[in-house]
Amino acid sequence: MSIKNNRLTTAEYQENFTDIHPPFETNEAALIEANRCLFCYDPPCMKSCPTSINVPKFIKQITTENLKGSAHTIFSSNIMGAGCSKVCPVEKLCEGACVYNLMHETPIHIAKLQRYSTEKAMANNWQLFERKPSTGKRVAIIGAGPAGLSCAHTLSREGIDVTIYEKESKGGGLMTYGIAAYKVTPEFCQDEVNYITSVGGIDIKYNQELGKNISLDELQRNYDAIYLAFGVGLARQLEISGEHLEGVEDAIKFIYELRNNDYSKIAVGDKVAVIGMGMTAIDAATQAKRLGASDVTLVYRRTQDEMPCTDHELNIAKLDGCKIIWLASPKEIKGENGKVTQLVCDVMKLGEPDASGRRSPIVSGETFTLDVDMVIKAAGQMPFETLVNSNSFENNNGKITVKDKSATNQKGIFAGGDCVNGGREVVDAVQAGKDGAHSILKYILGSTYIEEPKSTFNN
């Protein structure tokens, strides 16, 4: 067993990392699917979307071949509607709420229809929003991920001049750096960032990190308000012996490398164990398999009933040939000559339910050993607690505390997205960005700012 590069041919890499959710092949196919929609009154699909996209309206607009109108309806609620159409866990959101499920029929392919409209808009560079004249007010945003970009777009449309400070060399946040390459390509992410900023009034300064290149004091002197959207990023450690052996990787770093390099240059083991069962763990496991690993095993300390990922995501891993071991927790990583060779795991069992009904895993006393040459840690990410505390923000174990959805304990500073909630879906971050923008607009424009009412469905 050994970690090495270039396990597959160029053609095999191309096939393994092709779009996992291909778009409609023809306009007719999109129209046929759109015409299945029942255009429900008080639509459950719209209610289940964190950004409240008016799903029946945008689908109705597709049926009348009003694609610009359809894209506008989507982007009005979710400026990252194109990206979300590829990465959202729609089976537990809009499509999971579709009334067809109650009839035991296939739900409307909402994400695919959303992709159809939004990609047309991006490909043709349709400018669907007109920026109001500049008010002279300036806002600094920390982080060019979904929350930051959503906030920036909402502010800019109202005539606010926005500067985003991003520590990476590209925008998009986890969309660009932390999601499987077969879901969204880096090229698409860059196109989406460019499309969002094309409204005008948004300047992104890359390779600028809070606490390193820029300070909060400096920003407070130069801007009317600040929005913090720097997410989470510190990988949660296993705190077991052998964790620092060669061949033990953090899932986010592993995926990050995939987003930045030629697939043939990514080192992957032959026998890989992935610790965790969230979306990131699934992405890491499936990509390890698609890079040429012969054996990939997901290890999770609870049962399938408690797993964070969806059944749909789990099935992707299973179809790729990944194995799953439930009720197992890593105890020790062994190695030879500084390289990982084995993963020792405790067999777990679930204890009695707590007040919330959740059953915590406890050690049963038995162990087992897996022969591995690579261990990928996907046990979650932690907030930037040191950064948060050093800037005197009220927080809960590093997660910034806010009131009224986005206001921090410091005047003129707002926050949202993963740095507040600890890590949710992209679509949740987009909504947080909108909420933050509305709070900022009320703060700097006062009574002159009137928030637009949410759209309602009409034919």
Side-chain angles (χ1 to χ4, degrees):
M1 296 188 294
S2 63
I3 293 182
K4 61 181 182 179
N5 312 90
N6 205 20
R7 290 184 178 273
L8 306 175
T9 66
T10 301
E12 285 173 321
Y13 284 124
Q14 211 164 26
E15 181 181 351
N16 287 352
F17 287 90
T18 192
D19 197 334
I20 195 170
H21 300 299
F24 289 109
E25 293 185 1
T26 64
N27 294 339
E28 290 73 20
L31 284 171
I32 290 169
E33 182 61 22
N35 276 297
R36 288 182 60 227
C37 184
L38 301 175
F39 309 114
C40 301
Y41 174 77
D42 197 22
C45 52
M46 181 176 174
K47 285 182 175 181
S48 68
C49 174
T51 58
S52 301
I53 292 175
N54 196 329
V55 177
K57 183 178 181 180
F58 94 69
I59 294 179
K60 187 73 171 180
Q61 288 167 314
I62 291 175
T63 67
T64 59
E65 300 187 51
N66 177 13
L67 288 188
K68 276 190 178 181
S70 178
H72 183 270
T73 296
I74 296 163
F75 286 140
S76 293
S77 293
N78 183 346
I79 194 57
M80 296 191 78
C84 285
S85 72
K86 296 168 179 275
V87 305
C88 258
V90 291
E91 59 278 1
K92 69 177 183 181
L93 297 174
C94 56
E95 291 184 19
C98 179
V99 296
Y100 272 116
N101 291 299
L102 301 175
M103 296 182 275
H104 304 290
E105 293 188 32
T106 304
I108 302 298
H109 294 301
I110 297 169
K112 202 169 182 178
L113 289 168
Q114 183 170 311
R115 176 176 178 176
Y116 175 69
S117 295
T118 54
E119 286 195 346
K120 289 278 187 183
M122 287 175 58
N124 291 287
N125 197 27
W126 290 337
Q127 295 301 307
L128 304 175
F129 302 96
E130 186 174 347
R131 183 174 188 252
K132 293 179 181 178
S134 176
T135 62
K137 299 292 186 180
R138 304 173 69 225
V139 172
I141 295 176
I142 308 300
L149 289 168
S150 173
C151 183
H153 191 268
T154 305
L155 290 171
S156 182
R157 282 167 55 186
E158 294 296 324
I160 307 299
D161 298 321
V162 179
T163 302
I164 304 178
Y165 294 88
E166 169 55 49
K167 71 174 182 177
E168 302 290 350
S169 60
K170 297 177 183 177
L174 283 181
M175 280 286 290
T176 298
Y177 292 106
I179 292 177
Y182 55 74
K183 293 179 182 176
V184 284
T185 65
E187 293 76 22
F188 168 83
C189 292
Q190 185 61 55
D191 289 343
E192 187 167 48
V193 171
N194 291 341
Y195 185 73
I196 291 169
T197 56
S198 66
V199 71
I202 302 172
D203 178 29
I204 304 180
K205 296 185 182 296
Y206 293 106
N207 302 305
Q208 298 293 306
E209 184 175 350
L210 182 63
K212 184 180 291 186
N213 312 100
I214 48 173
S215 70
L216 211 54
D217 288 341
E218 177 188 354
L219 297 178
Q220 286 176 303
R221 287 195 300 270
N222 296 320
Y223 294 90
D224 296 288
I226 299 168
Y227 185 68
L228 306 175
F230 49 71
V232 291
L234 301 173
R236 193 177 301 281
Q237 300 303 300
L238 301 176
E239 306 296 343
I240 59 176
S241 65
E243 190 166 6
H244 303 294
L245 288 167
E246 184 180 336
V248 181
E249 295 278 0
D250 293 329
I252 291 295
K253 181 177 181 293
F254 179 65
I255 295 171
Y256 182 104
E257 291 296 322
L258 270 162
R259 310 288 290 172
N260 277 284
N261 293 285
D262 186 308
Y263 302 130
S264 64
K265 295 178 181 177
I266 305 300
V268 67
D270 184 49
K271 292 190 175 183
V272 181
V274 179
I275 312 301
M277 194 55 75
M279 298 293 201
T280 301
I282 296 290
D283 282 355
T286 53
Q287 289 190 124
K289 203 78 170 70
R290 293 175 186 223
L291 284 170
S294 63
D295 187 287
V296 176
T297 304
L298 284 146
V299 177
Y300 183 53
R301 63 192 186 127
R302 300 179 188 268
T303 71
Q304 186 169 346
D305 291 336
E306 292 86 23
M307 68 181 184
C309 73
T310 64
D311 288 332
H312 175 75
E313 293 285 331
L314 179 63
N315 288 336
I316 292 174
K318 287 181 177 179
L319 287 171
D320 276 359
C322 298
K323 303 171 187 174
I324 296 99
I325 300 178
W326 306 103
L327 290 171
S329 180
K331 180 179 182 179
E332 180 186 5
I333 300 172
K334 294 183 177 181
E336 293 178 4
N337 301 318
K339 299 179 181 179
V340 61
T341 57
Q342 290 183 322
L343 174 66
V344 181
C345 296
D346 283 312
V347 176
M348 310 298 287
K349 60 182 180 180
L350 295 181
E352 293 300 317
D354 59 19
S356 67
R358 187 172 174 81
R359 300 170 67 194
S360 296
I362 55 178
V363 176
S364 70
E366 300 178 49
T367 63
F368 65 89
T369 301
L370 296 174
D371 290 329
V372 295
D373 56 5
M374 187 175 194
V375 174
I376 301 176
K377 300 178 291 184
Q381 291 175 273
M382 299 181 295
F384 293 105
E385 192 167 359
T386 302
L387 176 65
V388 170
N389 283 323
S390 66
N391 285 286
S392 303
F393 289 109
E394 287 184 6
N395 67 89
N396 178 18
N397 296 320
K399 293 184 291 185
I400 299 174
T401 302
V402 297
K403 59 182 180 179
D404 300 325
K405 293 186 177 179
S406 56
T408 71
N409 62 305
Q410 298 188 40
K411 186 178 179 181
I413 302 181
F414 303 80
D418 289 355
C419 67
V420 170
N421 61 43
R424 292 183 187 167
E425 307 296 344
V426 171
V427 67
D428 293 296
V430 173
Q431 183 58 41
K434 286 164 54 183
D435 291 337
H438 294 313
S439 295
I440 291 169
L441 288 165
K442 290 174 186 174
Y443 172 73
I444 61 178
L445 298 181
S447 60
T448 61
Y449 171 67
I450 300 174
E451 186 176 341
E452 291 183 10
K454 288 186 178 179
S455 61
T456 54
F457 173 57
N458 61 70
N459 292 330

